[in-house]
Amino acid sequence: MQKKLAGRTGIIIATLVVFTYFIFFGAGLPKKGSIKELLTNSIHLGLDLKGGTHLVLQVHVAEAVAAQTDSDAVRLQSDLAKAGVLGAQVSKLDPTKVDVINIAGVPLSDSSKASTVVNGTSYSATYDVASVPNGYTLTMKQQSRKEMEATVLQTSIETIRTRVDSLGVAEPVIQQYGLGDNQILIELPGVDNADQVHNAIQSTARLEIHEVVGGPAATEADALQTLGGSLPPDAIIVKGASSVTAAGNSDMFYVLKRVAIVSGTDFRGAQPVRDPNTGTSQTSFNLTTGAGERFYEFTSANVGKAIAVVLENRVRSVASIKSAIRDSGVIEGLSPDEAKNLSLLLRTGSLPASISYLDTLTVGPSLGAASIQHGVYAAIAGMLVVMLFMLIYYRGAGINADLALILNLVILLGFMGLTGSTLTLPGIAGVILTIGMGVDSNVLIFERIREELHLGRAPSAAVQNGFAHAWITIIDTHVTTIVSAAILFLFGTGPVRGFAVTLTFGLLANIFTAVFVSRTIFDAILNRKQRGEALSI
C-alpha cells in the first residue's frame, strides 16, 4: 500500500513539474526572460486577444475556367486539323461566357470526322456538346465547373498559406469564408505591419509566360494597329510595367496570345541571380518535366520571336527567343528586391486565379489587452469563490478539491504550451467552464462518499465505493462533452476552435485530477488516520 501510494504521489509531482515547465518554455529548451515574456512566448494569443490583421479575399475563379477553356480551344483546333477537318474555326465568341467554346465552318463532307473529335471522351467528359449549323457549341458541364472552382479555391488557400508561413506568424487562420462564394478568410495574430501584410498577400499573384504577337505601343489603340486594327479572339492586350519599357516611366501595351505557354504551376524552382556581364538582377527558373518539353517545342519553333513574363496581369519582362529553351531560363529587367520576391513567388507557386480585397481590418492590441485583463480577472475570481465554497462546504475534503483544481489549471496551460495552441477570448471561457466541470466532478464524488458514510460504512470503504459509483458518471459527462468540443474544432473557425481546444484539454486534465489525484490524496489522508477516526467531508 505504502509503495503504491508513493508511486502515485511521484506521478502527480512529476506531472506538476513537467506541465509547469511546458507553461513557461513550451516544447523547447529553457530560455531567459521575465515571467510575462516566457508566458507569451509559450502560449500564443489569438487575434481577438493579441490584435492583428483580418482580411477577406475574393478569388476570381472565372479566370481559371476561362484559362482552361482557352487551352481546350487551342487543343481542339489542333485535334480537328489532325483528324482532317480543314477550315473549321474554334473560338470563344462571347467574352462573357467563359465556359463556352464555339466551332464554326465545318465542311459538310467532314462532319462525321468533326463529330468523332468533339464527342470523344477527351471533351465529352467535361463539356455538353450541341450541334449547330456547320459546327458545334461546347459548354462546360456544371459539375465539371463546380469541381474546377473548388480545386482553384483550395489551391489558392494552400498557396496563400505557404506565403503567409514565410512571415513566421503563429497559427494564422487561412480558410474558406463561409459568408460568400469563393472567398478566403485570413487572420494573422500579432501582425499589425500593414506593409508587411500587403507585401505577403500581393506576392500571391498569377505568373505566366505568353507569346508576344504585337506591340509595344504607347496606347491600347496603337497596339491594335500593329495587328491591323482588330483583336483576334485568341489574343489579349496587356499593359507593361514601366520598368520594362524603353521609354522610361511611361506604360506600354503589348498584344499577347491569350493562352499562356507556361503558368505558375509549371515552375518547380527559382532563385535570384546576377547577370555575369551587366551585373543586373535576374531570376533564374526551372520548369517541371512536362512544362519543359512544352516550352522546348514552342521555343524551337519560334526562335527570334518575343515572349513576355506576365505578373499580376502586367507585363514585367519581354525577351527575344535566341535559341531553344527546355526546362530553365532567366527573367530579366528586375530590381534586386523584385528578383528576390519573384524567386519566392515561383518557389512557392502562384495562384490559379487573381484575387481582390473585400475587407481589411486591423485589430488594435488595446482591445486584446482589455479582454485578457477582464478574462483573467473573471477566471481568478470564479476560481477563488469556488475554492472558498469547497472549503466551507466540504471542510477537510475541500482542500483535496482545491489542490485538484490548481493542478487541473497547471495541466491545461501546460498542454497549450506544449502543443503551441492559441488562446482566444472564447478560450478563456473554456477555461472557466473547465473549472466548473472540475468542481462538479468533485461534488459527485464527495456526495457519494457522504452517502456511504451515512449508511454506516467505514471511511476507507466509503471512499472506495464513492469513487467506484461516481466514476462512470464522470467519464460519461466528460466523453460526451469532449465529442461536442471535437465537432466544434472540426467545423468552427478561429475563436470557436480556441474554445474547443481549451475545453478539451481542460476535460482531459479533469479526468486525471478528479479521479486519480483526488483519490491519491484521500488514500494519503486515510493512511495517516487511526482506526475509527472520522473523515472530514
Side-chain angles (χ1 to χ4, degrees):
M1 180 65 184
Q2 288 288 351
K3 287 185 178 179
K4 283 187 178 179
L5 193 58
R8 289 159 62 185
T9 304
I11 292 174
I12 294 170
I13 294 174
T15 302
L16 178 63
V17 172
V18 169
F19 280 91
T20 301
Y21 177 89
F22 290 151
I23 290 175
F24 293 101
F25 305 110
L29 298 174
K31 300 176 183 175
K32 292 183 179 179
S34 65
I35 293 178
K36 184 178 179 181
E37 289 174 344
L38 294 175
L39 279 174
T40 53
N41 288 334
S42 175
I43 299 176
H44 305 297
L45 301 180
L47 188 71
D48 53 349
L49 296 178
K50 192 175 184 178
T53 301
H54 164 99
L55 299 168
V56 178
L57 305 180
Q58 178 73 54
V59 181
H60 301 289
V61 295
E63 290 183 0
V65 175
Q68 181 62 50
T69 52
D70 286 342
S71 177
D72 288 342
V74 172
R75 186 162 58 93
L76 189 54
Q77 183 78 67
S78 175
D79 289 345
L80 288 172
K82 290 178 182 176
V85 183
L86 303 178
Q89 293 297 319
V90 181
S91 62
K92 294 171 65 177
L93 297 178
D94 189 346
T96 63
K97 297 180 179 179
V98 297
D99 56 354
V100 177
I101 300 174
N102 302 98
I103 303 175
V106 176
L108 185 61
S109 58
D110 294 334
S111 59
S112 177
K113 298 176 184 176
S115 177
T116 301
V117 172
V118 299
N119 289 300
T121 55
S122 176
Y123 299 103
S124 62
T126 307
Y127 294 92
D128 290 321
V129 180
S131 297
V132 297
N134 299 323
Y136 300 89
T137 298
L138 283 71
T139 305
M140 184 175 286
K141 294 179 179 178
Q142 284 299 312
Q143 184 61 30
S144 300
R145 178 161 181 162
K146 287 182 179 178
E147 291 175 355
M148 178 176 291
E149 290 178 348
T151 302
V152 168
L153 187 63
Q154 189 58 41
T155 303
S156 301
I157 290 174
E158 294 304 320
T159 304
I160 292 175
R161 187 187 305 282
T162 304
R163 300 290 170 75
V164 170
D165 285 346
S166 67
L167 295 175
V169 181
E171 293 202 11
V173 175
I174 304 171
Q175 60 190 28
Q176 185 174 354
Y177 191 48
L179 299 182
D181 292 334
N182 304 315
Q183 295 177 4
I184 298 175
L185 169 69
I186 301 175
E187 291 185 345
L188 307 175
V191 177
D192 55 2
N193 187 328
D195 291 337
Q196 187 181 25
V197 174
H198 275 271
N199 288 336
I201 301 302
Q202 284 172 352
S203 67
T204 59
R206 296 178 66 195
L207 186 144
E208 298 172 330
I209 295 179
H210 290 256
E211 178 185 356
V212 179
V213 294
T219 65
E220 197 168 338
D222 290 343
L224 274 180
Q225 288 302 317
T226 63
L227 296 178
S230 62
L231 186 67
D234 63 344
I236 54 176
I237 296 179
V238 180
K239 184 186 289 187
S242 300
S243 60
V244 303
T245 63
N249 295 326
S250 59
D251 290 331
M252 302 294 281
F253 293 85
Y254 295 82
V255 183
L256 310 178
K257 281 285 188 182
R258 181 183 299 276
V259 179
I261 307 167
V262 293
S263 58
T265 54
D266 294 322
F267 293 92
R268 63 180 172 86
Q271 60 182 351
V273 296
R274 285 190 176 277
D275 187 315
N277 298 319
T278 64
T280 57
S281 296
Q282 302 173 333
T283 294
S284 69
F285 63 85
N286 300 98
L287 299 174
T288 61
T289 303
E293 292 299 325
R294 195 166 67 246
F295 201 48
Y296 178 76
E297 291 180 9
F298 176 83
T299 53
S300 299
N302 294 278
V303 172
K305 293 185 177 179
I307 54 175
V309 177
V310 179
L311 177 64
E312 296 182 70
N313 293 321
R314 290 175 69 88
V315 175
R316 299 302 304 271
S317 175
V318 176
S320 178
I321 303 173
K322 298 177 182 176
S323 61
I325 305 171
R326 184 176 294 278
D327 59 359
S328 64
V330 295
I331 299 172
E332 302 172 327
L334 304 172
S335 68
D337 287 341
E338 287 176 331
K340 183 179 178 181
N341 292 335
L342 184 57
S343 301
L344 174 65
L345 179 80
L346 296 180
R347 285 199 302 271
T348 55
S350 64
L351 288 172
S354 65
I355 57 176
S356 59
Y357 301 96
L358 295 181
D359 187 22
T360 301
L361 176 66
T362 301
V363 180
S366 57
L367 176 61
S371 300
I372 293 174
Q373 191 177 49
H374 294 156
V376 170
Y377 284 167
I380 292 176
M383 193 166 178
L384 289 177
V385 170
V386 167
M387 292 173 69
L388 183 61
F389 169 79
M390 296 298 284
L391 285 174
I392 295 173
Y393 194 74
Y394 290 109
R395 294 172 291 176
I399 300 174
N400 183 336
D402 291 348
L403 291 175
L405 273 181
I406 294 172
L407 183 57
N408 190 342
L409 191 60
V410 171
I411 294 175
L412 168 57
L413 296 177
F415 261 130
M416 300 198 70
L418 174 64
T419 58
S421 302
T422 300
L423 180 64
T424 63
L425 191 59
I428 294 178
V431 174
I432 297 173
L433 180 58
T434 297
I435 293 172
M437 291 196 68
V439 173
D440 186 50
S441 301
N442 287 126
V443 169
L444 277 174
I445 295 170
F446 293 175
E447 289 301 319
R448 293 296 303 188
I449 293 175
R450 278 183 167 182
E451 289 179 6
E452 295 291 328
L453 290 173
H454 290 157
L455 292 175
R457 300 279 195 277
S460 59
V463 169
Q464 183 173 350
N465 291 341
F467 275 93
H469 290 146
W471 165 253
I472 297 299
T473 305
I474 293 172
I475 291 296
D476 180 57
T477 56
H478 280 64
V479 169
T480 52
T481 309
I482 288 174
V483 170
S484 302
I487 294 173
L488 280 178
F489 184 82
L490 289 175
F491 297 101
T493 57
V496 176
R497 293 182 112 191
F499 173 77
V501 167
T502 54
L503 184 60
T504 302
F505 288 164
L507 293 178
L508 290 173
N510 261 349
I511 295 175
F512 175 73
T513 57
V515 179
F516 184 81
V517 176
S518 184
R519 177 63 188 270
T520 301
I521 296 175
F522 268 118
D523 287 345
I525 293 172
L526 292 172
N527 194 47
R528 297 169 63 90
K529 286 184 178 296
Q530 301 294 325
R531 181 182 293 274
E533 190 175 349
L535 182 67
S536 177
I537 186 169

